[in-house]
Amino acid sequence: MNNLSQIEALLFVAGDEGISLPDLVTMTGFEQTAVMGIIDDLAAKYDNDLSCALEIRETDGNYRLVTKPMLGTVVKQYFESPTNATLSHAQLETLVIVAYRQPITRIEIDQIRGVQSSGTLQKLAMRHLITEVGRKEEPGRPILYGTTVDFLDYFGLKTIQDLPPLPDLDSLDINDDTEGELFANPFAVEPERK
């Protein structure tokens, strides 16, 4: 495993929140100048490979892997496709967590779900069901997510207080929830379509 692949892997798993230079240094044990050199090498690799869909973007001190702007049309078509009109189980589960625990970070969502959620969060953000509502005051300043007006419209709610109550988790056996229905049930009713 080379140094470039380690940085690339960390950028990938960091998802849409990205990862800061100090965190990359800490996680790899590389010198800061070496990490910056690797980021520059990766960026050049992506820029020079016309068949590659990715580029590195630095925003608010965090480095992220993103799709190249020239692919915006095809990415937009994917998110607007009729096949994506219905929320997937992963999207619904993530959306329920955001709705009931907002504002919440991706890491906190990942801990609740037990899987990495960055792709799911990106899809929900592209559909305008969630949005960035701020940054958490902790190292790395992770993005805080919350629901949107479109979320309320999608589910026919007037305010976030109109969410159905969650079941009492103490009275439920979460170990028997192999299908993840505890999170999906609050939104089991089909949303109102306009």
Side-chain angles (χ1 to χ4, degrees):
M1 172 172 42
N2 65 33
N3 296 351
L4 189 138
S5 63
Q6 290 181 53
I7 299 294
E8 188 174 38
L10 289 170
L11 289 168
F12 176 77
V13 298
D16 61 334
E17 289 186 26
I19 187 168
S20 69
L21 183 59
D23 287 343
L24 285 168
V25 168
T26 300
M27 291 181 189
T28 60
F30 305 152
E31 295 291 327
Q32 182 170 323
T33 54
V35 172
M36 283 304 304
I38 294 168
I39 290 172
D40 290 342
D41 290 347
L42 268 174
K45 174 185 156 188
Y46 295 146
D47 287 343
N48 294 329
D49 184 353
L50 298 179
S51 67
C52 180
L54 302 175
E55 68 179 25
I56 295 177
R57 188 168 299 156
E58 188 266 328
T59 308
D60 198 24
N62 288 327
Y63 293 89
R64 302 180 296 136
L65 286 179
V66 298
T67 54
K68 291 179 177 175
M70 66 183 183
L71 298 170
T73 302
V74 72
V75 171
K76 184 177 179 186
Q77 285 174 341
Y78 170 78
F79 286 109
E80 293 177 351
S81 165
T83 60
N84 287 318
T86 303
L87 293 171
S88 70
H89 188 80
Q91 290 171 340
L92 187 58
E93 180 179 85
T94 303
L95 192 55
V96 170
I97 294 167
V98 172
Y100 283 92
R101 300 286 296 269
Q102 62 187 310
I104 187 169
T105 67
R106 179 187 57 83
I107 299 295
E108 293 166 331
I109 295 166
D110 292 351
Q111 289 171 343
I112 293 169
R113 293 187 65 222
V115 294
Q116 213 265 5
S117 304
S118 63
T120 304
L121 288 168
Q122 288 174 338
K123 290 175 185 174
L124 292 171
M126 288 288 291
R127 293 181 69 174
H128 306 287
L129 295 173
I130 63 168
T131 190
E132 179 181 332
V133 295
R135 296 269 181 169
K136 193 164 187 175
E137 294 296 329
E138 64 180 38
R141 303 210 2 100
I143 295 171
L144 289 166
Y145 292 97
T147 55
T148 64
V149 172
D150 287 345
F151 164 83
L152 297 174
D153 289 343
Y154 187 88
F155 289 101
L157 303 170
K158 291 184 180 176
T159 70
I160 201 69
Q161 287 74 32
D162 294 334
L163 284 170
L166 280 175
D168 178 14
L169 294 181
D170 292 333
S171 66
L172 298 172
D173 187 354
I174 294 175
N175 295 325
D176 288 341
D177 186 35
T178 57
E179 301 297 318
E181 295 305 317
L182 292 179
F183 289 110
N185 283 341
F187 293 156
V189 176
E190 275 294 306
E192 293 181 5
R193 302 283 183 198
K194 292 185 175 182

